[in-house]
Amino acid sequence: MAQQFDVIVIGAGPAGYHAAIRSAQLGLKTACIEKWRSKDGKTVLGGTCLNVGCIPSKTLLDTSHKYSEAVHDFDDLGIKTEAIAIDVPAMMVRKDNIVNRLTQGVAALFKANGVETLAGSALVRAGSTVELTDGEGNQSLLTADHIIIATGSVPVEIAACPLDGALIVDSSGALAFQSVPKKLAVIGAGIIGLELGSVWNRFGSEVVILEALDEILPGADQQVAKEALKQLSGQGLDIRLGTRVTGTEVSDDQVNLHYSDAEGDRQESFDQLIVAVGRKPCVDHLLAADSGVAQDEGGFIQVDELCDSPVAGIHAVGDVVRGPMLAHKGMAEGIMVAERIAGQQTLVNYDCIPAVIYTHPEVAWVGRNEQQLKEAGIEYSIGMFPFSVSGRAMAANQTAGFVKVIAAADTDRLLGVHVIGAQASELIAQAVSAMEFGASAEDIGLTMFAHPTLSEAFHEANLAVDGQAIHISNRRRRK
Ligand code: FAD
Ligand code: AMP
């Protein structure tokens, strides 16, 4: 007989494990199915984020940033060092240890909360039934009142650049290099391409990033994207816009890359190539023909604002559904669905999702940018504050970038906050809180900020919306 649960979650990435833990906390009999296995056959929890995404990439970004500071900036601070070197295998061991600690932490949380982990691949069938196939090919049937699909996403592959796992890799491969490539190509100047390009550039690789579009970071405020391009190019990243990769050949341990740009068809040789051209929803062997669950034209599982599919009792959350492919967006959706199953009225505020790019300087934003507001015909005022005049930024030798606050011209409510600068990933949290509470620029202006901090730049940018900033000459800009 089929095993019965209140809730079955498919996928133990951030969206799935949040949904599973919250469901169990709320007293629901919960199982979480995960197909990821380690080389020694053990089930691996945590999904893309913990294993080959957010956490390993930030580990390498933080290490490479420290290395870069030691090599390039310590002298300016009066710190004398002997020759600095990077031990890549040691860095990777540390990264793997952090990943293991966190993935085992999810397993411990499942145990503590009474979530049953089921190893294997799930297929959703009609009638709230899930067919589970374990690593040995054994099949069993499970039923549940609610099924939460959280199967995430996988890297997009392009026919022009077939991966070989050694010279041509995706983001997972680029997080496991055992040495610094001399000359490295990255296809795609999206978030992942810029972050991974930065890591290896800081360790001394000659990095060329090839991007088909004429701009980087199309989702960012254009003023911020331009500043990011300037800063990253200044660090030695060779970012070539309007450049489309059309093919590759591998010979003599080299990748010969074919591409076209304004000057026509060209080719260039590299030691390694990272393909970072985006991600797509993971739906392979997930939906039986009779499941009733539909996908949109991009392959994403169709759901409404509440993450409910048209089939009663089937929900989907995280990267496998519409919206930005960000871990925290999936976590919020997972919690919402679990709480609604338990009868609560939780919602996700899709207007308040922070986005962060962990380059240096970091880029972060929440809410709408100038392009979007112009397109929507909404009048707004802008307050800007540069880190170059912040005492704390000077003390920290981190004066690049600015905070840009956009407030509604009529109500003064914050519509968007855009930061490029050191610790933008942390600074943006206060903007998210302010916007969640419907704050106006004046509200933030009337709030006290500790001195000296980088957060004072957020305070001053809000004051600048109405021409009241203290440490810059104010020019009011109303659009
Ligand atoms: P996933 O994390 O992809 O997890 C899905 C899980 O489902 C996987 O474990 C998979 O094995 C399992 N699964 C799939 N199909 C089945 C099946 N049929 N049966 C059983 N199990 C199945 N986001 C951020 O917010 N911040 C960052 O800094 C950031 N950095 C990133 C860096 C990189 C290099 C990459 C690649 C991604 C990064 N992301 C970042 C994106 C983030 O990793 C994803 O948004 C997040 O992991 C999505 O969570 P999820 O739970 O929806 O899916
Ligand atoms: P993202 O989806 O944000 O990770 O970004 C992926 C980037 O890769 C996009 O900006 C695409 O324009 C870019 N891209 C996709 N295919 C190619 C290609 N063949 N050559 C160059 N850039 C590409």
Side-chain angles (χ1 to χ4, degrees), residues 7-19:
V7 176
I8 292 176
V9 181
I10 305 174
Y17 85 71
H18 277 69

Side-chain angles (χ1 to χ4, degrees), residues 59 93 107 137 150 174 198 206 218 245 262 284 290 315-316 342 365 369 404 421 429 456 465:
T59 306
V93 167
S198 290
E206 182 188 339
V245 174
D284 283 353
D290 61 359
H315 323 265
W365 69 85
N369 58 40
K404 173 174 179 174
E456 286 173 300
V465 168

